[in-house]
Amino acid sequence: MRFIFKTDYAQDIRLAKHGGHVFWYSALMLLLLAAPWLFAEYWLAQLTFVLIYGIAGLGLMLLAGFTGQFSIGHAAFLGAGAYTQAVLTNMGWPFPIALVAAGLLSAVVGVIVGLPALRVKGIYLGIATLAFGFIVEEILARWDSVTGGNSGIQVKPPEMFGWTLGSGTSFYFLCLVVAVVATLAILNLLRSPTGRAFVAIRDSEISAQSMGIQLARYKTLSFALSAALAGVAGALYAHKLRFISPDQFDILQSIDLLLLVVIGGLGSVHGAFLGAIFLISMPQLISLSKGYLPDVIGQAPGLQAVVYGAVLIGFVLFEPLGLYGRWLKIRTYLQTFPFYRKGTFKRQKSFQKSDRLR
């Protein structure tokens, strides 16, 4: 009986559910480790941006996908982390300490946003976070003595243990390590009592409160953790660009992050990285397709915004679960083939609950 108990306990604590997960995730990790020797420098830089945006997407996914809190000002946390990292690194702080400070300061900013946001929900919470994003952008533009104002600020390459990570390859491995650690931390958090409390709040606040979950505590904690991840991503973003300015953390950046989690798939860790791949690759695909389009369309201003809007509408109407939801359907089709039935994934209508019933 003791041996069976230990075996069951080991099965409960491991992240991989079966050997197939171990194989495919190991293969993915080997591919990512070999990426500097498989891809050109340009594509390696794009993959680095995917990792950075994936970390920021994990934060917003935790807030919006798993806790059900709406945010349209997440670029403010990204900017707080980026500027904290830039200022501290230029002052001579070691990279690991500056990175931790950037995450902690962003978490404090998240708490500042989360406390007033406890009184609002839904679209009103989105408007509150949007207003906060404008406030942070204005502070970054006006605080010339620290942030450099609209002129921006240069960022030194990261230095760690006497090594300067100035090359694209070394910085890629740094981002890969941070992304893996952040992903494992989120996966473990979500299966802890805290993660279950987040999901309970997302599903029904009244039911969560009736089970003894303190809404104020867990909502504020979700904002803090989400902001901390965004701050870490912002710190890496600053080092990658080597130059930051307030206009890089405006409302468009916040919309891009929201687009990332919606298209990737709300409520899934995989969706954060799938959305990051979409966000980074879509401008490249639009640029390549311009040569095949009529000049009236290809050279029209705002083409990228139109394509983004059309894609977002398409996902909302036909694939609400995003790219990860589509992959789950494809995987189930392959697993059940040739016994797949056409109506297996028939979409059922759902009606939004009123605030009174939530």
Side-chain angles (χ1 to χ4, degrees):
M1 292 297 294
R2 173 183 261 176
F3 177 77
I4 295 175
F5 172 77
K6 288 186 175 181
T7 303
D8 293 341
Y9 180 74
Q11 290 178 351
D12 290 338
I13 65 174
R14 64 183 182 183
L15 289 174
K17 295 181 179 180
H18 50 75
H21 282 181
V22 175
F23 173 79
W24 288 110
Y25 287 129
S26 299
L28 176 61
M29 184 55 60
L30 290 176
L31 178 62
L32 292 175
L33 291 174
W37 296 275
L38 297 177
F39 303 112
E41 184 177 356
Y42 172 79
W43 295 110
L44 185 65
Q46 299 303 305
L47 187 55
T48 303
F49 277 116
V50 168
L51 295 175
I52 294 173
Y53 274 98
I55 297 171
L58 286 175
L60 187 54
M61 189 70 73
L62 179 66
L63 181 66
F66 291 102
T67 316
Q69 304 302 298
F70 195 48
S71 174
I72 320 179
H74 228 63
F77 307 128
L78 197 73
Y83 272 92
T84 302
Q85 184 75 16
V87 171
L88 295 181
T89 303
N90 292 343
M91 290 172 58
W93 285 41
F95 171 80
I97 299 178
L99 185 67
V100 172
L104 290 177
L105 181 62
S106 299
V108 172
V109 176
V111 172
I112 295 174
V113 179
L115 288 176
L118 296 175
R119 296 180 176 274
V120 293
K121 62 176 65 174
I123 188 63
Y124 302 104
L125 177 59
I127 294 174
T129 56
L130 176 63
F132 179 78
F134 285 131
I135 293 173
V136 171
E137 184 183 358
E138 194 66 19
I139 291 175
L140 297 178
R142 300 294 180 182
W143 201 359
D144 295 342
S145 59
V146 177
T147 65
N150 289 315
S151 299
I153 183 175
Q154 297 285 343
V155 186
K156 293 181 179 179
E159 297 180 1
M160 187 166 50
F161 308 116
W163 294 83
T164 300
L165 306 179
S167 66
T169 300
S170 60
F171 188 73
Y172 163 77
F173 282 119
L174 174 64
C175 293
L176 179 60
V177 171
V178 176
V180 170
V181 171
T183 304
L184 293 177
I186 289 295
L187 288 174
N188 281 282
L189 173 67
L190 290 175
R191 62 183 190 169
S192 69
T194 301
R196 295 189 181 99
F198 289 158
V199 175
I201 293 173
R202 178 197 66 185
D203 293 341
S204 174
E205 292 188 6
I206 291 180
S207 299
Q209 196 170 17
S210 67
M211 290 187 293
I213 296 174
Q214 300 178 12
L215 298 184
R217 174 186 175 184
Y218 284 102
K219 283 185 178 181
T220 306
L221 180 60
S222 178
F223 263 101
L225 294 176
S226 177
L229 283 173
V232 170
L236 298 175
Y237 183 78
H239 280 299
K240 180 59 181 176
L241 294 182
R242 301 286 181 89
F243 175 83
I244 54 175
S245 60
D247 58 352
Q248 294 172 333
F249 308 102
D250 55 4
I251 177 62
L252 296 179
Q253 184 74 273
S254 297
I255 292 176
D256 282 344
L257 292 175
L258 190 60
L259 190 72
L260 183 153
V261 296
V262 171
I263 291 182
L266 279 172
S268 66
V269 174
H270 298 80
F273 291 96
L274 292 175
I277 294 173
F278 168 85
L279 195 65
I280 298 301
S281 62
M282 185 56 67
Q284 316 297 329
L285 296 176
I286 294 175
S287 178
L288 292 174
S289 63
K290 285 183 177 180
Y292 302 94
L293 296 174
D295 293 339
V296 178
I297 300 176
Q299 303 301 325
L303 177 61
Q304 181 172 328
V306 172
V307 173
Y308 273 30
V311 171
L312 180 59
I313 292 173
F315 271 96
V316 170
L317 291 178
F318 303 108
E319 193 53 78
L321 297 180
L323 293 172
Y324 184 63
R326 175 53 54 181
W327 157 244
L328 290 179
K329 294 178 180 179
I330 294 174
R331 186 184 67 181
T332 305
Y333 172 80
L334 295 176
Q335 290 175 344
T336 57
F337 184 83
F339 303 105
Y340 170 79
R341 298 183 63 182
K342 187 176 181 181
T344 302
F345 298 111
K346 185 177 180 180
R347 218 172 137 232
Q348 297 180 356
K349 295 182 179 180
S350 61
F351 300 93
Q352 184 178 7
K353 297 179 182 179
S354 65
D355 292 338
R356 180 179 62 83
L357 295 178
R358 294 189 66 185

